[in-house]
Amino acid sequence: MFEKFLEYQSLDSQLLKLERQLMGDPSRQNIAKLSTVIRNLQSKLIELDNEAEKATREFEKLSGEYEKKKDLLQSMNKNKDISVETLQSQISSLNALVGELSSMERVLSSRAESISNILKNFDYCKTSIVTNKEKYRMCKEKSSSIEGTLLPQIEKVRGELLSMEKSLDSKFLAHYKRLRQSNVWPVFVPLRNNACGGCAMGLSSALLNKVHSNGYIECEQCGRFIYD
Ligand SMILES: [Zn+2]
C-alpha cells in the first residue's frame, strides 16, 4: 500500500542529496567566512585611523612643548651679558632643562615609532581587505555557477514532489514531513529481521502480527513507518 509513498520518498532522497550538495558547497561556506573577515578588517581600519589621528595630535602637542623648551635653552645660552653670579644661580635650572629636553626626545622618538607601527598596521589591513575581497569575488562566482546548476534541478524535483503529494494520504504525508524535518530518515522502512528497518528496535510477536495483517505499523521507538 506504500508504493506511491516509496516512490515519493525515493524522489525526496534525490532532493535531499541535491540540497546537501548545495549547502555543502565549500565556496558557499567560504563566502560567509570571508565576509566576516572583511567586516572585521574594515572596523580594525577605522580603529587604527582613529588611533593614528590621536597619536599624531599628541605627538604634535609634545613637539610644540619640546620646541618651546629648546628656544628657552637657546635664549639662556645667547644671554652673554649675564653676570657670573646670575649664571651660577642659573646653572642648576639650565641642567634641569637639558635633562628634561633629553627625556622628551626619548618620549618623542618612541611616540614616532608607535605612530609608524600604527600606519604599517593600517597599510597591512588595507592590503588584506583588497586580497580578501578578491577571494570573496572568486568564491561568489564559483558558488553562483554551482547554484546555477543545482537550483534548477532542485526546483524541478520539488515540483514533481508537489504534484505527487496530491495523490498521497494527507495524514501519512504530514507525519512523513514531521519526521523528515527532524532528520529521521528514511521515514518508510521495511521490516528487517523482525525489527524496525530504521532504528533496529525488535518487534514483539503482537506487533509483528499487526505488521503482517495491517501491512505497516508505526515504530514505537523512532516513529518511522515499518512496512511488511
Ligand atoms: Zn524504529
Side-chain angles (χ1 to χ4, degrees), residues 184 189 195-201 203 218-226:
V184 178
V189 290
C196 167
C199 70
M201 188 193 70
L203 301 186
E218 222 178 283
C219 176
E220 286 172 346
Q221 182 161 269
C222 66
R224 288 179 173 90
F225 292 109
I226 308 168

Side-chain angles (χ1 to χ4, degrees), residues 72-149:
L72 185 65
L73 184 67
Q74 257 158 20
S75 72
M76 281 168 109
N77 283 343
K78 272 184 199 149
N79 201 347
K80 284 175 184 141
D81 301 331
I82 203 161
S83 68
V84 175
E85 290 79 10
T86 323
L87 190 65
Q88 271 171 344
S89 82
Q90 279 190 351
I91 279 177
S92 66
S93 58
L94 207 63
N95 278 342
L97 192 56
V98 170
E100 248 177 87
L101 279 170
S102 85
S103 90
M104 278 178 100
E105 275 165 16
R106 276 196 300 277
V107 173
L108 278 169
S109 101
S110 103
R111 292 283 166 89
E113 201 186 318
S114 74
I115 290 175
S116 124
N117 282 338
I118 294 170
L119 293 178
K120 260 186 225 156
N121 222 336
F122 185 87
D123 282 343
Y124 170 78
C125 281
K126 243 167 108 178
T127 320
S128 201
I129 286 176
V130 174
T131 325
N132 279 295
K133 274 191 170 166
E134 178 58 18
K135 277 190 206 160
Y136 180 91
R137 194 190 59 77
M138 275 156 61
C139 281
K140 194 96 185 159
E141 223 170 64
K142 212 168 175 184
S143 120
S144 333
S145 115
I146 290 171
E147 274 179 12
T149 325

Side-chain angles (χ1 to χ4, degrees), residues 22 31 43 47 56 64 85 87 90 141 147 149-151 153 169 177 183 187 189 201 206 213 220 223:
L22 185 69
I31 284 174
S43 30
E47 217 176 273
T56 308
E85 290 79 10
L87 190 65
Q90 279 190 351
E141 223 170 64
E147 274 179 12
T149 325
L150 289 177
L151 284 179
Q153 291 179 48
D169 181 286
K177 287 194 169 173
N183 292 322
V187 176
V189 290
M201 188 193 70
S213 61
E220 286 172 346

